[in-house]
Amino acid sequence: MLIRRLAAEERLTTSFPLQAYAFEATPLSRERVDAFHRYLPYNKGNRTLVVEEGGEARATASAVPMRQNLRGAVLPMAGVAGIATHPLARRQGYVRALLCQLLDEMRDGGHPVTALYPFRASFYERFGYVGLPRARTVRFSPADLAPLLRAELPGTVGWERIGVGYPHYRSFTERCLRERHGFAIFPDFRDVGLRDRDDRWLITATVDGSVVGALTYRIDDHGGELVGDDLLAADPYARALLLQFLARHVDQVERISLRVPADDLPELWLTDLAVHVEARVSRPGSPAPMARLLSVDALAGLPAGPGRVRVDLVEDRWLAGTHLLDGVDGRLALAPGGGPAVTAGGPVPTATLTAAGLSALAYGVLDPAEVHIRGLGDVGPEAAGELRRLFPRALPYLFADF
């Protein structure tokens, strides 16, 4: 078995066909094969590995060099995607070998966190990944937005094709990256595909010359559906400006759909808004994202409460050893080796955590008791209390779909 990195042009005859078989309708049409050539430039900065035996590609995996906000710190993130195996080579350990090498290379290249959309969550949990919330799909009638048409709101709304307005959109997602926990965005070479396809409308909410909200969308037909992507808004006024624009489509479309983060509550947007909110997770086809830490150093300096705990990290290739986590002056400090067992404040409680357990706490998706219940660590009551103070519950919003 040989694992090697592909040159960009090699993907046309190696990784792309395997990925297409795994994730698309096949056999591929001639038009779809030709589209691979147009898609190639948007993959130029990816790290793509392939397993070969006898000169034939047996499995492939890619990592997109992205950025993600972890509790306020913007970190390099490896977005793992396109994991696919030849149908005659499945369940032979190829993906395990590929993923280990890919994450080794991305961690060594300075990516302390990683995320993916799994084909099976339990498989990736064994690699230290933990589930993140899935964005909600919201559906409602534009008629129910009528009260917003009478509202006087600060700011203005702009409307244009995404091909024209892309710089404003990209700039606002950069702002979201800085401000929103869990938010991740593509590198420039990948993200410009949205501009080049130019198959979306873009509305932006602007206040005092700054973009504070954005939504890309398309309309499937007259009397049909306005299909929105992620509703991005810095505050309720920005969201109301965007919804006010959508309300003007009452005589054009029957319904509107869009995506919102898990911590948004569309049922409270307006009185008498009849809304369907859904987060559908299925296998295969509609997975919730997962993420993990690849380096304990990712935690250094993060906002933290006044807690102190020793953690023994076990059963992982990338996270190991004993570390003292201390919320000093509101920032997390790390002491490799675990530090003293007793401090001026008394004995320091200890928790044993897997990589998935520590990642769940860092991303804020599980309570320490849930980590224990799920078998992701051994966390006693005293250690659980300290970990709750160090890592308050938070709902990450991944945003990027890859």
Side-chain angles (χ1 to χ4, degrees):
M1 181 173 66
L2 170 67
I3 298 179
R4 66 180 183 89
R5 184 177 180 181
L6 292 177
E9 295 74 15
E10 291 183 282
R11 295 175 184 146
L12 293 171
T13 56
T14 51
S15 62
F16 282 5
L18 287 178
Q19 292 162 357
Y21 184 83
F23 302 113
E24 299 190 30
T26 56
L28 295 173
S29 66
R30 174 54 58 186
E31 292 75 17
R32 182 56 183 151
V33 172
D34 292 341
F36 286 167
H37 293 268
R38 297 191 298 273
Y39 184 61
L40 192 60
Y42 308 112
N43 289 260
K44 62 183 179 182
N46 293 358
R47 181 175 293 268
T48 299
L49 302 182
V50 65
V51 173
E52 292 179 335
E53 281 192 339
E56 183 178 357
R58 310 304 286 171
T60 186
S62 295
V64 186
M66 301 171 65
R67 288 172 291 152
Q68 184 179 37
N69 182 313
L70 180 64
R71 294 188 180 268
V74 177
L75 304 172
M77 184 195 91
V80 176
I83 296 180
T85 309
H86 191 287
L88 296 178
R90 293 174 178 173
R91 298 186 180 272
Q92 296 181 32
Y94 294 123
V95 167
R96 176 175 295 276
L98 269 178
L99 191 58
C100 285
Q101 181 158 326
L102 185 64
L103 294 182
D104 280 347
E105 294 181 8
M106 296 304 289
R107 183 180 187 272
D108 292 346
H111 295 78
V113 293
T114 174
L116 52 75
Y117 288 83
F119 68 85
R120 184 185 295 269
S122 58
F123 176 85
Y124 289 102
E125 187 178 79
R126 295 194 291 272
F127 282 91
Y129 285 87
V130 67
L132 304 184
R134 184 166 178 79
R136 273 52 178 160
T137 299
V138 182
R139 293 183 176 87
F140 51 88
S141 167
D144 287 349
L145 301 178
L148 287 173
L149 294 173
R150 300 186 296 273
E152 294 187 9
L153 301 172
T156 59
V157 172
W159 175 68
E160 56 199 338
R161 293 278 290 259
I162 185 61
V164 175
Y166 174 77
H168 302 297
Y169 182 78
R170 176 67 173 182
S171 177
F172 185 62
T173 60
E174 289 275 1
R175 173 181 171 175
C176 294
L177 173 68
R178 296 189 299 270
E179 297 178 353
R180 186 136 202 172
H181 171 52
F183 204 88
I185 62 174
F186 289 121
D188 289 336
F189 70 80
R190 170 74 173 265
D191 203 58
V192 292
L194 178 64
R195 176 199 66 194
D196 296 345
R197 289 190 301 274
D198 197 22
D199 60 355
R200 294 288 193 275
W201 294 107
L202 168 67
I203 50 173
T204 50
T206 302
V207 175
D208 296 330
S210 297
V211 176
V212 294
L215 174 70
T216 55
Y217 72 93
R218 60 182 177 83
I219 295 176
D220 66 2
D221 203 353
H222 182 74
E225 184 171 357
L226 186 154
V227 183
D229 298 307
D230 291 67
L231 181 70
L232 303 176
D235 56 45
Y237 286 111
R239 182 182 65 210
L241 279 168
L242 299 177
L243 293 177
Q244 187 182 64
F245 174 86
L246 298 179
R248 300 188 179 103
H249 293 73
V250 63
D251 296 318
Q252 183 178 353
V253 298
E254 179 182 359
R255 60 194 174 276
I256 295 169
S257 68
L258 44 82
R259 291 192 300 266
V260 298
D263 60 357
D264 207 339
L265 300 174
E267 63 270 28
L268 302 182
W269 286 350
L270 290 167
T271 304
D272 290 335
L273 176 63
V275 60
H276 178 87
V277 183
E278 179 183 40
R280 182 175 180 267
V281 177
S282 63
R283 190 184 72 247
S286 183
M290 304 183 80
R292 64 155 291 166
L293 306 177
L294 285 175
S295 171
V296 179
D297 292 341
L299 301 177
L302 293 184
R308 181 184 290 114
V309 65
R310 289 158 55 98
V311 294
D312 294 328
L313 300 176
V314 297
E315 302 176 7
D316 189 67
R317 181 186 183 98
W318 299 281
L319 302 183
T322 300
H323 304 263
L324 176 68
L325 308 184
D326 195 346
V328 178
D329 298 327
R331 294 288 172 178
L332 191 62
L334 306 177
V342 179
T343 66
V348 179
T350 298
T352 300
L353 297 174
T354 63
L358 180 61
S359 298
L361 297 171
Y363 279 94
V365 292
L366 294 182
D367 181 82
E370 293 173 306
V371 169
H372 195 175
I373 292 167
R374 295 262 300 264
L376 304 179
D378 186 1
V379 185
E382 292 184 359
E386 298 297 311
L387 288 168
R388 287 189 188 100
R389 284 187 282 275
L390 287 171
F391 300 108
R393 194 72 177 263
L395 280 180
Y397 172 34
L398 185 61
F399 173 64
D401 194 355
F402 50 92

